[in-house]
């Protein structure tokens, strides 16, 4: 289990001020159709403008991030929003992560954890 990060620690990861601001707007439970954490992995599905949600996950041990959004910023506002929600205690613990998260973790492990 990873110690919960502070709001300031999460915001320090943002690539710029606009990402910080956008992330704060996404740090509300109603923005996420699903969310959870399984020890060191944090994940969620954020309502987007497209047909489906943006799938976001983070390996808190590295840290490493992944989001299905088209943003070129890293970490993106969705990842930062999920991290902010988690830092405030708004992401529930789950027994297991969804398949898309498990696949990402397995791919990363196969690449030597650097992906």
């Amino acid at each position: 289990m990873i110690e919960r990060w502070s709001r300031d620690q999460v915001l320090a990861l943002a690539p710029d001020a606009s990402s910080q601001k956008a992330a704060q707007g996404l740090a509300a439970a109603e923005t996420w159709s699903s969310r959870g954490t399984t020890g060191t992995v944090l994940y969620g599905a954020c309502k987007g403008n497209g047909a489906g949600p943006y799938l976001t996950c983070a390996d808190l041990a590295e840290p490493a991030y992944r989001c299905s959004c088209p943003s070129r910023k890293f970490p993106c506002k969705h990842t930062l929003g999920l991290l902010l929600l988690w830092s405030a205690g708004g992401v529930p613990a789950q027994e297991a992560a969804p398949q898309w998260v498990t696949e990402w973790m397995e791919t990363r492990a196969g690449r030597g954890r650097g992906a």
Side-chain angles (χ1 to χ4, degrees), residues 17-103:
S18 66
S19 295
Q20 288 180 334
K21 183 175 181 177
Q24 292 176 69
L26 295 173
E30 57 272 6
T31 306
W32 299 87
S33 57
S34 67
R35 63 195 186 285
T37 183
T38 58
T40 64
V41 180
L42 181 65
Y43 61 88
C46 183
K47 297 172 190 170
N49 295 332
Y54 293 127
L55 303 178
T56 306
C57 53
D59 179 348
L60 301 170
E62 293 282 331
Y65 319 103
R66 179 195 175 277
C67 185
S68 63
C69 79
S71 176
R72 293 185 181 186
K73 295 182 180 181
F74 192 78
C76 70
K77 64 184 179 182
H78 306 102
T79 301
L80 293 166
L82 183 61
L83 287 166
L84 284 171
L85 189 58
W86 169 71
S87 75
V91 178
Q94 302 292 334
E95 297 261 335
Q99 181 177 351
W100 60 270
V101 176
T102 303
E103 288 171 358

